[in-house]
Amino acid sequence: MIEILSKPNQLSQIEVELGAKSAKIEFLPSASPLFPVSDLAATEFAYQVGGSLQANALTYVTRAADSELYESLKAGNFCYVLTSRQMGKSSLRVQTARRLQAENIACSIVDITGIGTAQITPVQWYAGFTATLANSFKIKMNVKTWWRDREDLPPAVRLNEFIEQVLLPAIDRNIVIFIDEIDSILSLNFSSDDFFAWVRGCYNKRAENPEYNRLTFALFGVATPQDLISDKTRTPFNIGRAIELKGFDLAEATPLVRGWPEKIDNSHEILKEILAWTGGQPFLTQKLCQLTAQKLAAETSRDCHSPANCQLFIAELVQSSTVENWEFQDEPEHLKTIRDRLLRNQERIGRLLGLYQQILADMTLPNGAKNTAKESIAQYNLAKYSSQKMELLLSGLIVQDGGKLRVYNQIYASVFNREWIHQELAKLLPYSESICAWEASNHTDASRLLQGRALAEALIWAADKSLSDRDYQFLSASQEQENLEVQRALELEKAASQILTEANLVLTKAQQKAKRTVQFSLFALAVISAISGSVLVQVQRVAQKAENQKRQAIITHIEALNSTADISLSYDQLGALIAAVSAGKKMREIEVSPTLKAQTLNILHRTVNAVRERNRLLKGHTANFSPDGKLIVSANDELLVNFFQPNGKLILSLPGHTESITEVVFSPDSQLVASTSFDKTVRIWRRDGTLQQVLKGHQDLVWSASFSHDSQLIATASSDKTIKIWNAGGVLLHTLKGHTRPVTSVRFSPDGNMLASTSQDRTVKLWKRTGKTLFRLEKTLLGHGDEVWGCNFSPDGERIASASHDWKVKVWNTDGKLLKTLDSTAALGNVSWSKDSKLLAGGSTDGNVRLWRRDGTLLQTFRAHQADVWSVSFSADRKTLASAGKDGSVKLWSLDPAKVEGAELDTLLAVGCRWLGDYLQYNPGVESDRHLCEKTDN
């Protein structure tokens, strides 16, 4: 009997056929193969330089790749993350597995290095892979016996039987197999093509066996698809999705400053300078942040208030701790890893360093000057050097940016500079001194070229190597110089008949070659003339068919707009509607085929009925409706508090904060706005834009604020683990302590007699009013399995909703009793109730906004943003929902869409233009489409 651990509370038995034998599989309750989120202990903030970050590590930086990999694997797509070392692949794998597991998806991690590659046979390797899967999924079976019973089958077939006859029947959930260090497979002494063909086969079988739809794979490693499998007809990479793992940008890396001393006021500028040196490379960024924390703690007198001082501070730190004597300071190893990869193949070093030298020539140096090297990568023929290009990319030394190669960052450029290149080439080249001297003379000192035996030995040495253009230019010039010397010798010895004969022979060959060259040139001129004549004829034809081509261009434009509308509807609704309306208007210009007309009308009709996004506001990452419904307030990365009319017209932009703004909220009477910030202050603004108060007192960044029902009290929540109560005049009245970690949100109850607060300590606390300004802790609500980031009282005062990174929204009554738990597909950070308390909205880190009824029924999921949603807010009439997030956009969603039944072009265009009216009028990002819906067009 084979015992398999599966989902809890499932006890059953099934009979399965195992090859020629049968066995009984018993399902027993157990834990999942990976630890659940709730079992992970909270960790303190600590930088980790190198290695995989734990699933709950506070220093993990979320990037676009996180959501891309998660969504793709959840959708059942084959994914691969193939990039250089120390880019965060393993940490990404850990985080993604954690998120998938929270969705009840079974996950297994197979590290290829753990199976072994040295002196291993195909049977042993596939058996090891199968055993690793069985162990990872906690399948209790004697793999050795099971494997031996099928010794008449090829190894890949046995692995396939394990998947189909054991794994899939054993686990009734979706399954993701993560395969790490896949590049280790290149060290096997047999072809790995069968393995990748097996992976592809698992996807092909979905058509005939639906059970395979539950199985998907994710590959991680330092290799290219071409390296891993040579047979293009069997490769799985042409049916999979490549996940690009980029470095950190400033917004993504901002949480890393939390590890620095609290007294540092210019942390944003310091981080900016760190990224200027690291380019966002994860390993180096974590390392420099750690070194910065240590340096700042030790040098209390250091003045980093000005950008110039910050620049100097980080530049000195980089030079002293990373660049100078880098080989001795490279702990854990990072720069040495890059160096060793570049120099590991003696036959290719010259070519590799030659290409890198060309790329380095375009690098801007830390002092702002350009490299003075004459070479330019723009002039470099990269097609000839595709293998060297990929080798450099996989080393991590360079990246491809907009079709151009560049050195990843300033640290790499400073360490692996031109001097380093010349030193390495000097170790490699037998003629290093000669070539350097020749280049120093600007290629004019012929005495530095090789001659005689030295040249012959150099040519023999270079015969089996891949060298740089620099080397070939030097050797070619040496050969030409050698030929000139021979010719001079021949002229001096004309008297010797044998030498004369040889010289005549050389001359004859040269003449023949010259003749061939002239003939070729004449032929080329003839071809050019013929082409020119052809071009003239073609121009005439083009002129004759101009109208047809214009018509075809419009048709092509309509088809492209239709395609854009169809594809972008799921992630850019207003963009899709603009494309669909544009296609409909274009169709008025010419007669089109019935098929294209029907397609255009169908897409326009479907888009008009599907669009829920009502408008977009100027840049912002948090936003709220005023209770009276007449204004929207938002904050953006430019440190501005902005007031808008509901139609999107900007009314006010208020500067004042010196660091990122975390939240903006209205008072119940709509007359005041509170803005909280990383600068440790809360600013109170009047509706007309007047700054009324600046609340100072928190010792760390302020996350949240809330007004009491009469707008006379203000509660604020901070990372200093406290809640502070202030009066309308800005006087601090009371400080509430009780949370053990940063307090992330605070809200007054509608009657002002209670406060609710949330924290990274995973709790929700209820505070009861005991006097005019005093509150005491009434109850601590336990139940969330991860940090809690948002809460809100329902306007009727009966319920409290809390949102957590455990992917749950919990609804409690005011006595602290848990009423409902609402599930999400990602971590949640904020919740909001509609004014009638009948709807609840929550924003999550997957960019989605979910809308529930009061009874917990999920009504709608808006694919709202490209990254974390940081705020959601209902309009007073409950017809519109505002969402804002990390991607810097504020979007307004209609909760009461009107369906269009008819499909006439004019009707659909009129509806589409009414929908787009406010967006086209007030959004600055649609200048090219501003006149799309002018009345003269309808």
Side-chain angles (χ1 to χ4, degrees):
M1 180 176 72
I2 302 173
E3 296 180 341
I4 299 179
L5 302 177
S6 185
K7 287 181 64 176
N9 304 322
Q10 181 175 343
L11 294 170
S12 61
Q13 290 187 343
I14 61 171
E15 294 288 330
V16 296
E17 292 296 322
L18 298 179
K21 302 183 179 184
S22 65
K24 184 174 291 184
I25 297 179
E26 182 177 351
F27 291 83
L28 301 173
S30 79
S32 180
L34 298 175
F35 287 105
V37 174
S38 58
D39 288 345
L40 293 171
T43 61
E44 293 300 323
F45 193 96
Y47 298 108
Q48 179 175 326
V49 183
S52 300
L53 295 176
Q54 294 182 359
N56 60 341
L58 299 180
T59 53
Y60 182 79
V61 175
T62 302
R63 291 173 275 180
D66 288 79
S67 58
E68 291 173 9
L69 180 61
Y70 166 75
E71 293 291 351
S72 296
L73 291 177
K74 190 177 175 184
N77 297 323
F78 168 64
C79 298
Y80 52 96
V81 185
L82 302 177
T83 187
S84 58
R85 296 204 177 279
Q86 296 174 322
M87 278 294 293
K89 295 186 296 298
S90 296
S91 297
L92 171 65
R93 169 180 56 73
V94 170
Q95 293 288 333
T96 304
R98 175 195 185 190
R99 294 179 67 184
L100 292 172
Q101 184 207 5
E103 289 286 334
N104 200 30
I105 295 173
C107 297
S108 168
I109 297 173
V110 180
D111 187 338
I112 296 297
T113 59
I115 301 175
T117 55
Q119 305 301 318
I120 194 171
T121 67
V123 172
Q124 292 171 329
W125 190 87
Y126 279 90
F129 188 89
T130 304
T132 303
L133 282 180
N135 182 61
S136 183
F137 284 113
K138 298 186 181 297
I139 299 177
K140 291 186 176 179
M141 61 180 289
N142 191 326
V143 177
K144 186 175 181 180
T145 301
W146 186 92
W147 190 264
R148 189 180 298 146
D149 289 341
R150 289 153 186 79
E151 60 185 5
D152 56 325
L153 298 175
V157 176
R158 288 187 242 184
L159 174 58
N160 187 69
E161 283 199 359
F162 173 80
I163 296 294
E164 190 164 318
Q165 299 179 4
V166 178
L167 182 61
L168 288 175
I171 299 177
D172 61 353
R173 294 169 283 163
N174 288 347
I175 300 168
V176 177
I177 297 175
F178 294 88
I179 303 177
D180 203 5
E181 302 291 346
I182 191 64
D183 49 295
S184 297
I185 210 168
L186 298 174
S187 300
L188 295 172
N189 54 14
F190 56 89
S191 173
S192 58
D193 281 10
D194 286 343
F195 174 75
F196 291 105
W198 167 76
V199 173
R200 181 186 178 96
C202 289
Y203 285 82
N204 292 339
K205 288 184 179 181
R206 291 178 172 184
E208 58 191 41
N209 186 349
E211 285 298 293
Y212 275 90
N213 285 298
R214 297 192 292 109
L215 175 66
T216 193
F217 297 83
L219 273 57
F220 298 76
V222 185
T224 67
Q226 295 76 16
D227 290 333
L228 296 173
I229 183 169
S230 57
D231 189 348
K232 295 182 180 179
T233 63
R234 306 172 73 199
T235 179
F237 295 101
N238 56 12
I239 62 170
R241 179 175 179 180
I243 305 297
E244 185 178 6
L245 201 53
K246 295 182 178 180
F248 306 153
D249 62 30
L250 185 59
E252 291 169 344
T254 296
L256 293 176
V257 306
R258 293 165 57 193
W260 297 347
E262 296 179 354
K263 60 181 177 293
I264 302 303
D265 295 327
N266 211 4
S267 58
H268 184 83
E269 193 66 28
I270 296 174
L271 180 62
K272 184 179 178 181
E273 289 303 319
I274 288 175
L275 295 179
W277 277 96
T278 69
Q281 204 284 334
F283 179 96
L284 290 176
T285 303
Q286 289 268 1
K287 181 175 182 178
L288 273 186
C289 284
Q290 182 184 61
L291 293 170
T292 299
Q294 297 168 357
K295 189 83 169 177
L296 290 173
E299 296 187 17
T300 56
S301 61
R302 169 68 70 172
D303 180 11
C304 289
H305 290 288
S306 71
N309 284 347
C310 290
Q311 187 176 14
L312 180 61
F313 174 73
I314 295 301
E316 290 175 351
L317 182 63
V318 170
Q319 290 296 326
S320 62
S321 64
T322 306
V323 175
E324 293 177 1
N325 299 317
W326 65 269
E327 289 180 300
F328 297 96
Q329 298 195 84
D330 192 31
E331 294 293 338
E333 286 192 1
H334 176 71
L335 299 172
K336 291 178 186 176
T337 302
I338 296 174
R339 177 202 61 190
D340 293 346
R341 187 173 184 102
L342 293 177
L343 305 180
R344 66 180 180 175
N345 189 328
Q346 288 294 316
E347 282 69 39
R348 300 180 63 188
I349 292 176
R351 199 69 158 174
L352 206 59
L353 294 184
L355 175 57
Y356 172 61
Q357 188 174 26
Q358 306 299 316
I359 299 168
L360 183 64
D362 277 353
M363 184 72 177
T364 300
L365 300 177
N367 61 6
K370 289 286 289 184
N371 195 315
T372 57
K374 293 183 178 181
E375 303 88 9
S376 172
I377 195 61
Q379 303 170 352
Y380 216 69
N381 185 359
L382 293 179
K384 296 191 300 181
Y385 309 109
S386 58
S387 62
Q388 287 81 24
K389 168 187 169 183
M390 292 310 304
E391 186 68 14
L392 286 174
L393 287 169
L394 289 176
S395 74
L397 184 58
I398 68 168
V399 291
Q400 187 159 337
D401 188 2
K404 184 177 179 179
L405 302 180
R406 63 173 176 82
V407 183
Y408 198 139
N409 56 52
Q410 301 284 10
I411 291 178
Y412 292 165
S414 299
V415 171
F416 304 107
N417 53 26
R418 296 192 73 200
E419 289 73 22
W420 178 84
I421 295 172
H422 290 155
Q423 288 173 8
E424 293 303 323
L425 290 176
K427 299 175 186 177
L428 170 72
L429 305 176
Y431 47 81
S432 59
E433 291 185 7
S434 297
I435 191 172
C436 288
W438 181 64
E439 288 179 328
S441 72
N442 199 22
H443 303 170
T444 60
D445 188 355
S447 67
R448 301 297 185 174
L449 297 172
L450 302 180
Q451 298 179 10
R453 183 174 178 178
L455 175 60
E457 291 178 347
L459 292 174
I460 294 173
W461 172 86
D464 60 347
K465 291 179 175 62
S466 178
L467 303 177
S468 69
D469 282 359
R470 168 180 179 258
D471 297 284
Y472 289 127
Q473 185 181 8
F474 176 72
L475 293 175
S476 177
S478 296
Q479 287 179 287
E480 290 179 9
Q481 182 67 20
E482 179 83 9
N483 290 337
L484 288 175
E485 295 296 330
V486 170
Q487 288 178 12
R488 292 191 186 105
L490 291 175
E491 290 174 359
L492 294 173
E493 299 179 9
K494 288 181 181 179
S497 60
Q498 184 178 357
I499 295 177
L500 181 60
T501 301
E502 292 177 356
N504 288 333
L505 180 61
V506 171
L507 179 61
T508 301
K509 289 182 179 180
Q511 290 172 338
Q512 291 174 346
K513 182 177 180 180
K515 184 178 180 181
R516 287 196 300 270
T517 301
V518 172
Q519 290 174 342
F520 177 79
S521 299
L522 292 174
F523 174 74
L525 288 172
V527 170
I528 291 172
S529 298
I531 291 175
S532 299
S534 175
V535 169
L536 290 174
V537 173
Q538 185 64 23
V539 169
Q540 294 172 352
R541 291 177 180 174
V542 168
Q544 294 171 358
K545 298 179 180 179
E547 287 300 318
N548 288 339
Q549 289 194 346
K550 178 181 178 182
R551 180 177 180 275
Q552 185 58 47
I554 295 174
I555 290 174
T556 301
H557 194 185
I558 293 172
E559 291 173 341
L561 289 169
N562 285 339
S563 177
T564 299
D566 196 32
I567 293 172
S568 60
L569 184 58
S570 63
Y571 64 89
D572 181 11
Q573 293 192 1
L574 289 178
L577 184 56
I578 286 175
V581 170
S582 298
K585 294 211 166 189
K586 280 286 180 186
M587 199 167 62
R588 286 174 165 180
E589 298 179 15
I590 59 170
E591 287 292 327
V592 299
S593 67
T595 300
L596 181 58
K597 182 176 182 180
Q599 180 194 46
T600 304
L601 285 173
N602 179 54
I603 290 176
L604 178 57
H605 192 191
R606 185 169 72 250
T607 304
V608 165
N609 282 334
V611 167
R612 303 292 292 273
E613 186 182 356
R614 192 70 182 86
N615 204 347
R616 292 180 198 170
L617 307 184
L618 193 67
K619 297 177 182 178
H621 55 250
T622 181
N624 259 299
F625 274 100
S626 62
D628 63 10
K630 296 181 180 180
L631 289 175
I632 301 171
V633 64
S634 78
N636 61 28
D637 289 338
E638 296 171 355
L639 311 182
L640 296 174
V641 175
N642 294 321
F643 286 80
F644 296 88
Q645 293 177 350
N647 62 9
K649 183 178 180 180
L650 179 64
I651 304 300
L652 294 169
S653 285
L654 309 177
H657 283 292
T658 59
E659 293 189 55
S660 296
I661 301 169
T662 53
E663 186 175 65
V664 283
V665 293
F666 273 99
S667 60
D669 60 7
S670 302
Q671 298 305 307
L672 299 174
V673 165
S675 58
T676 60
S677 171
F678 273 51
D679 63 15
K680 306 178 186 178
T681 71
V682 181
R683 290 178 176 258
I684 309 299
W685 313 85
R686 293 197 189 100
R687 187 186 182 105
D688 62 5
T690 304
L691 178 62
Q692 178 169 297
Q693 301 289 343
V694 178
L695 309 183
K696 297 181 179 180
H698 281 295
Q699 302 303 306
D700 206 336
L701 65 92
V702 188
W703 285 110
S704 178
S706 180
F707 290 91
S708 62
H709 68 298
D710 56 5
S711 303
Q712 295 304 303
L713 296 180
I714 306 158
T716 57
S718 168
S719 279
D720 65 11
K721 306 175 187 177
T722 71
I723 301 160
K724 293 185 181 294
I725 310 296
W726 318 73
N727 67 18
V731 177
L732 178 61
L733 303 174
H734 192 37
T735 298
L736 307 180
K737 298 181 180 180
H739 285 291
T740 59
R741 300 199 64 198
V743 186
T744 52
S745 72
V746 63
R747 291 291 182 265
F748 274 101
S749 63
D751 61 8
N753 291 326
M754 291 190 72
L755 272 176
S757 61
T758 64
S759 170
Q760 292 179 15
D761 64 13
R762 305 185 180 188
T763 70
V764 181
K765 292 185 182 293
L766 301 182
W767 310 81
K768 190 170 183 179
R769 194 165 186 166
T770 59
K772 189 173 182 180
T773 62
L774 297 179
F775 288 81
R776 63 172 172 80
L777 181 60
E778 179 74 7
K779 187 164 291 188
T780 297
L781 311 184
L782 303 174
H784 280 296
D786 209 330
E787 299 172 353
V788 190
W789 277 88
C791 68
N792 247 315
F793 283 91
S794 59
D796 60 14
E798 296 179 358
R799 301 186 178 199
I800 307 161
S802 57
S804 169
H805 280 192
D806 65 2
W807 303 17
K808 309 287 184 186
V809 170
K810 291 186 180 291
V811 181
W812 323 73
N813 66 17
T814 53
D815 292 328
K817 179 182 178 182
L818 180 61
L819 302 177
K820 293 185 181 299
T821 297
L822 311 179
D823 292 324
S824 174
T825 58
L828 291 127
N830 52 91
V831 283
S832 178
W833 293 90
S834 60
K835 193 170 184 179
D836 59 7
S837 302
K838 292 182 178 180
L839 297 177
L840 179 64
S844 56
T845 57
D846 59 3
N848 290 337
V849 174
R850 289 170 177 80
L851 187 66
W852 293 276
R853 284 200 191 102
R854 182 185 179 94
D855 63 5
T857 303
L858 180 64
L859 290 177
Q860 181 83 30
T861 299
F862 299 108
R863 187 175 178 182
H865 297 272
Q866 300 302 310
D868 304 16
V869 180
W870 286 344
S871 72
V872 287
S873 175
F874 285 92
S875 62
D877 60 7
R878 211 192 78 163
K879 292 183 178 180
T880 308
L881 180 70
S883 66
K886 186 178 179 180
D887 62 5
S889 65
V890 179
K891 298 186 178 183
L892 306 184
W893 305 89
S894 173
L895 303 181
D896 187 23
K899 294 294 182 182
V900 181
E901 299 298 336
E904 293 295 326
L905 178 60
D906 288 346
T907 301
L908 294 173
L909 288 176
V911 173
C913 281
R914 282 199 301 272
W915 192 271
L916 289 169
D918 289 343
Y919 177 58
L920 293 177
Q921 183 175 0
Y922 296 114
N923 195 289
V926 291
E927 189 62 38
S928 60
D929 298 305
R930 186 78 69 205
H931 305 295
L932 177 64
C933 288
E934 290 182 346
K935 292 183 179 180
T936 54
D937 291 337
N938 286 329

